Each structure stands twice: as C-alpha cells, then as structure tokens.
Amino acid sequence: MRSGSEEPVPLHEEFIYCCGAATHVLKCGPWTDLSKDESKNLPRLLFMIIPGNPGLAGYYRTFIQALYCGLNQQYPVWVVSHAGHCKPPSGMEMIEDTDIKELEDVFGLNGQVEHKLNFLKKNVSKDIKLVLIAHSIGCYITLEMMKRASELQVLRSVLLFPTIERMAQSPQGKLMTPLLCKLRYALYMPVYLLSFLPEGVKASLVRFALRGMKTCDESSITTSINLFSVDCIANILYMASQEMMKVVERDSTTIKQNLKKLIFYYGTGDSWCPQHYYDEIKMDFPDGDIRLCEKGLRHAFVLDASKEMAAMITDWLQDDLTKL
C-alpha cells in the first residue's frame, strides 16, 4: 500500500479556535472540509493523529505526509494540536475573545480530551469512520475519547509509546514530577528572555539541543521554535503537571471493551513507559494486539523516525483497509 509518486503531498494548514483555544490543524490530502453530511465526495475514513506533549502539530508533519503516501493517497490524514500548544499567527490570540466560556480548564488534561471530541463533532461528519493514531499522552486521551463517546465510529486506535498508567512512577516521571509540579514557574522567566532572540539564533539553539541525533527531521527544528513562547510553554508544562498527578491506574475496563480495535506499541528503552508496563499489560490481555518495538525507536519518534513508523502502521492496517 505504498505510493512511489514523488509529487508534492497536498498539505493544508489551519489555525482555528476549538473550545475557545488556539488550535493548529494540518490536513493531508485534497479534503479540507469533512463536516458536510450531504456531500457525496466525503471519504469513508479519516486518519486522525492525537499528539503527545508537547502537542504541536508541526512535529507530525513528516509523519502524516508519509502515512498519506503509504495509504496510496486514498484517505485524509489530519493532526490536531493540543489546545494552546501552538503559537498563533499574528492577529490571533491564544484564547478567543468571547463572553461565552466553552470549557473549563481547556488546557488541562480533561480539557484536552473534550477539545478533541469537540473538534470531531464540529469538523467531521458522524458517518465517517475513524482511525485514531495516538502518541504518548495522546494514547490516554484516545482511550478517554472512546470511553466518553462510544458513538464514535472508530475502526482502529493505534497507541504508540502509550503513557496510560503510572506516569509519575516511571523513570522519567520520577525525575520530572518535582520539576513540573513544584518548579515549573521558575522556567517561565528564562523562556521569556529567550523569546526575544532572533529566529535564526533560536533555530541554532534547537539544533544544538538535538545534536546527539544522527538525523533530525527538519520540521522538528522549525516546530521547536514555538517552545520559545511563554504562553505555549506555560500550557505545555501545566498539562504535563496534570499528567503526573492524574495518569495513575490503567483503564483496563475501557481497554477490555475495545480490545479488538486497539493496537499497542511499546518501546524497549522508553523511560516514560518502561518495558515491565508492556509485560504486565501483555499478561493481562493475552489476546490483545500488543507489540514491542524491535527497531530501537525512541519515545519521541517524530524527531527522526516518522517515515519508518508510518510504514509500519500502513502494514499493520492493511487487512482492516481491504475490508472497507
């Protein structure tokens, strides 16, 4: 199911308000509006990416383009940023100027779940089937979406490096929890000062920070410049602090109810969801499609392995797509 075409991949970019918060959407393919139920040209299936944290859509640019091509350009592939994780373009505020408050705490973990459900409700026809591809904390959000909105026509959910339990107890969680929950405000001033640097200097700092990688996706460099925005960093760290406190017990009930729709993909050296989390969920759900990475991919695969991951996912879903 791979396309050999070297033609440019159609990519549409939007900045919108969803639940009153600035949201960045990247759409691969010629379909830019999937909300009109009466349209005869709607695709049967939408691939929607639920990002990790930072939830910047730009990190997934190469991934969605590779996935779209791997699917022979037959289905739209969209990625929706987390609420408030993008730097809005000039003239657009982080929060919509309105007297109507659509959602309490939209930047928190619960708010991000409702944000994705609200996006689907307003932008995607209920007749369109969904393949949800989630990364890291996006996996927790996806399971919550399936729990809260059982009417969603989810064909498959692919959960990549899933942080769905005991985040604060993970090796990385033990290191980051004190910083995120007690000291995150101390980071705002340095970020504020760095925000005044020229864009070229910011890009050089990002390249320096990622210097240990043999190959780094160029879109990751440009996207990371958003992290020099105090508003973005504040929302990113606030959500992360809630992850440490709220992602504790695995939602085995929702997993059991949707097991045939789920694919889990764990890493072997992942300090956010260590391998014994994989061993335990594999033991609890022996009939589940629960895989362990054999390629040495990092948790933040979007930095250097987007095309490899997209190729694997298209292979995993071939049987599902041939039955459509």
Side-chain angles (χ1 to χ4, degrees):
M1 295 187 65
R2 295 179 182 83
S3 171
S5 172
E6 295 298 325
E7 295 179 6
V9 177
L11 190 65
H12 180 70
E13 183 174 33
E14 295 177 1
F15 286 90
I16 63 171
Y17 286 114
C18 182
C19 295
T23 305
H24 185 200
V25 185
L26 291 176
K27 303 177 177 181
C28 253
W31 309 273
T32 58
D33 186 358
L34 299 180
S35 61
K36 298 175 181 177
D37 293 347
E38 70 276 4
S39 174
K40 295 180 180 179
N41 297 318
L42 287 180
R44 290 175 295 172
L45 187 65
L46 167 67
F47 284 73
M48 180 168 159
I49 315 303
I50 313 294
N53 187 5
L56 295 151
Y59 281 130
Y60 299 84
R61 184 182 298 264
T62 299
F63 177 64
I64 65 171
Q65 289 176 317
L67 190 59
Y68 178 70
C69 289
L71 297 166
N72 290 332
Q73 305 187 15
Q74 292 182 352
Y75 306 104
V77 184
W78 293 5
V79 56
V80 181
S81 78
H82 290 321
H85 285 211
C86 60
K87 184 179 179 182
S90 178
M92 183 180 185
E93 299 297 324
M94 184 67 81
I95 300 174
E96 190 173 12
D97 185 13
T98 175
D99 293 333
I100 303 172
K101 194 163 188 178
E102 292 197 40
L103 185 67
E104 290 285 344
D105 196 20
V106 66
F107 301 130
L109 190 53
N110 175 67
Q112 298 291 358
V113 177
E114 293 299 327
H115 173 263
K116 306 307 174 295
L117 291 173
N118 185 274
F119 176 86
L120 284 171
K121 183 177 180 180
K122 292 186 175 180
N123 295 279
V124 180
S125 167
K126 62 182 182 298
D127 296 324
I128 295 177
K129 290 184 171 63
L130 300 170
V131 172
L132 302 175
I133 300 178
H135 176 213
S136 191
I137 193 60
C139 302
Y140 173 90
I141 291 172
T142 296
L143 288 176
E144 279 293 312
M145 291 169 65
M146 296 174 75
K147 176 182 178 179
R148 299 182 193 186
S150 56
E151 70 276 8
L152 290 176
Q153 294 198 59
V154 178
L155 179 68
R156 276 281 187 175
S157 286
V158 181
L159 309 181
L160 306 172
F161 305 101
T163 52
I164 57 174
E165 59 178 306
R166 294 174 285 173
M167 284 192 68
Q169 295 178 36
S170 69
Q172 193 70 10
K174 290 177 182 178
L175 180 68
M176 295 299 293
T177 297
L179 177 65
L180 292 168
C181 296
K182 298 179 181 179
L183 301 173
R184 71 176 188 273
Y185 298 105
L187 299 175
Y188 296 171
M189 181 55 72
V191 172
Y192 174 73
L193 295 174
L194 290 169
S195 69
F196 291 102
L197 292 173
E199 296 299 291
V201 176
K202 293 176 185 175
S204 296
L205 288 173
V206 173
R207 290 181 193 279
F208 179 77
L210 300 176
R211 67 193 180 283
M213 296 184 189
K214 293 181 180 178
T215 58
C216 187
D217 194 310
E218 190 63 30
S219 63
S220 295
I221 307 269
T222 54
T223 299
S224 294
I225 294 174
N226 284 270
L227 302 180
F228 290 92
S229 161
V230 175
D231 286 342
C232 289
I233 280 292
N235 293 333
I236 287 166
L237 296 181
Y238 172 62
M239 177 180 168
S241 70
Q242 290 206 341
E243 292 170 32
M244 299 305 112
M245 294 183 288
K246 295 187 175 184
V247 182
V248 182
E249 293 185 16
R250 184 208 315 147
D251 186 356
S252 294
T253 300
T254 299
I255 292 171
K256 183 178 180 179
Q257 290 171 347
N258 296 278
L259 191 60
K260 292 183 179 179
K261 297 180 179 180
L262 302 174
I263 298 175
F264 293 87
Y265 189 72
Y266 282 83
T268 49
D270 190 342
S271 56
W272 278 116
C273 37
Q275 189 171 330
H276 69 269
Y277 288 13
Y278 160 81
D279 295 333
E280 291 168 10
I281 193 173
K282 186 80 172 173
M283 186 179 300
D284 290 345
F285 298 100
D287 297 328
D289 191 343
I290 304 169
R291 307 171 186 227
L292 187 65
C293 177
E294 298 176 349
K295 299 177 179 290
L297 301 186
R298 68 180 77 241
H299 184 92
F301 73 90
V302 291
L303 296 177
D304 59 357
S306 289
K307 293 180 180 178
E308 194 170 1
M309 183 64 79
M312 285 195 292
I313 291 172
T314 55
D315 284 342
W316 297 344
L317 298 179
Q318 279 192 37
D319 287 345
D320 292 318
L321 297 178
T322 54
K323 295 173 184 175
L324 280 177

